[in-house]
Structure formats: C-alpha cells, structure tokens
C-alpha cells in the first residue's frame, strides 16, 4: 500500500485502512502483502507499505527473517535517499542512507514505489528499482518516459516505456490544442524583471 492507498497516517503498530487491502479481499488474484510475505516458486516477496515519516522502517526491514536458499524481493513504498523526481529536483528522504542501504543489501531485489521517476541502480549485489509512475500525472512529469518493469526469473529487470499514454504538452495558446488524448497546458508567460 502506498501513501495514496491509505486513509490516515500509517505506522507499524497502528496500521491505516488501505484500499489495496480492501481490493485484495474483493478480487481473486490480487494479494496484499503489507507487513507480510508471499512465496512464488522459489522467491519470497516481502511487503512493507508506506509508513508515515518512515518511522521504524529500517528496524522493521532488519528484523525480516530470510530463508536460506531462496531469492528474496523486498517491496517498499518510500523515498530513496538522493532520489530525484521527474523535474530533476532531489526529493527529501527521512532515512539515513548508510543504515537504509545496509538493510536493503540483505535482499536480491528491492522494488520501491513513491517517486514518479523510474530508475534502477545497484548497492553491492542488490538491484534497487525505483519503479516510478506508469503514466504522467503532473506537469513536472512532462519530459519523462513512464512505463513498467519486466522482472525475469534471475531477478534481472528491464524498463519498458508506454508509447501511447497521455502526456503533458505545453502550448502557447489554445488554438494550438490538438484533438487527442494528451494533457495541454498553456506555457507560462515570461515576466520582465526591472531592477531598481
């Protein structure tokens, strides 16, 4: 469950109601793994939902007991330290980078939601994937490729951008608007600054 899936603040010992949990009870095949584990073939997938202010997140991850001989995936919803959003601006993280990265290195693959910009990197042997958003949701996403990630049996990953989803397009005036599915926004007018 991400921050937009919860109706109030969410903590490890005081969970918020979640749309994902509710939908998982309704739709067969949808599994909510908030604070739990799901096994698929020889892969254990651990889920940690969005936790308000990341309180206790590192400690919780460190306490997860991993089974030897299995591949381990961690799914979390937080802001990675040093993550940049689609506008290139670094996003504030509540997490101490060294402690957090040490906790993540216990897993083979970490899938992290929250930031719209999709990217991946390695910490030691652990692949970290900031999954990003599947489509543009706000103007700052305008120049970004959005899509999904393919995950293979060996836990390698590949980003696949969507080609036909709506995008934000800046135009000079309304007469330029095309009749298609994109989101059109009038470019802001440049203001002259007069120094006194």
């Amino acid at each position: 469950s991400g921050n937009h899936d919860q109706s109030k603040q969410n903590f490890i010992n005081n969970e918020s109601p979640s749309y994902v949990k509710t939908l998982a009870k309704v739709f067969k095949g949808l599994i909510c793994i908030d604070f739990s584990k799901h096994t698929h073939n020889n892969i254990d997938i651990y889920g940690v939902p969005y936790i308000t202010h990341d309180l206790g997140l590192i400690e919780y991850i460190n306490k997860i007991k991993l089974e030897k001989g299995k591949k381990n995936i961690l799914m979390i919803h937080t802001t990675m330290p040093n993550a940049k959003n689609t506008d290139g601006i670094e996003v504030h993280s509540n997490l101490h980078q060294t402690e957090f990265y040490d906790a993540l290195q216990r897993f083979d693959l970490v899938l992290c939601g929250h930031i719209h910009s999709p990217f991946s990197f390695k910490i030691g042997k652990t692949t970290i994937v900031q999954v990003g958003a599947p489509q543009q949701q706000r103007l700052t996403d305008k120049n970004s490729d959005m899509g999904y990630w393919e995950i293979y049996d060996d836990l390698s990953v590949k980003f696949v951008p969507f080609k036909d989803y709506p995008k934000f397009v800046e135009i000079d005036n309304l007469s330029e608007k095309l009749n298609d599915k994109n989101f059109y926004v009038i470019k802001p007018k440049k203001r002259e600054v007069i120094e006194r």
Side-chain angles (χ1 to χ4, degrees), residues 6 13 19 26 82 158-159 175:
Q6 301 166 347
N13 295 318
Y19 301 113
V26 175
N82 301 316
K158 176 185 170 188
F159 179 72
S175 64

Side-chain angles (χ1 to χ4, degrees), residues 58-106:
I58 295 172
E59 295 83 0
Y60 183 86
I61 293 170
N62 280 327
K63 288 179 183 175
I64 294 173
K65 292 186 170 106
L66 305 178
E67 288 185 48
K68 289 184 179 180
K70 286 192 171 183
K71 293 177 184 175
N72 297 286
I73 296 175
L74 176 65
M75 293 178 64
I76 56 176
H77 196 100
T78 189
T79 302
M80 285 282 172
N82 301 316
K84 290 183 179 177
N85 224 329
T86 52
D87 55 7
I89 296 174
E90 189 171 315
V91 185
H92 172 74
S93 173
N94 295 309
L95 299 163
H96 183 274
Q97 181 174 326
T98 303
E99 292 175 12
F100 185 52
Y101 284 179
D102 285 349
L104 298 183
Q105 287 187 72
R106 300 176 55 227

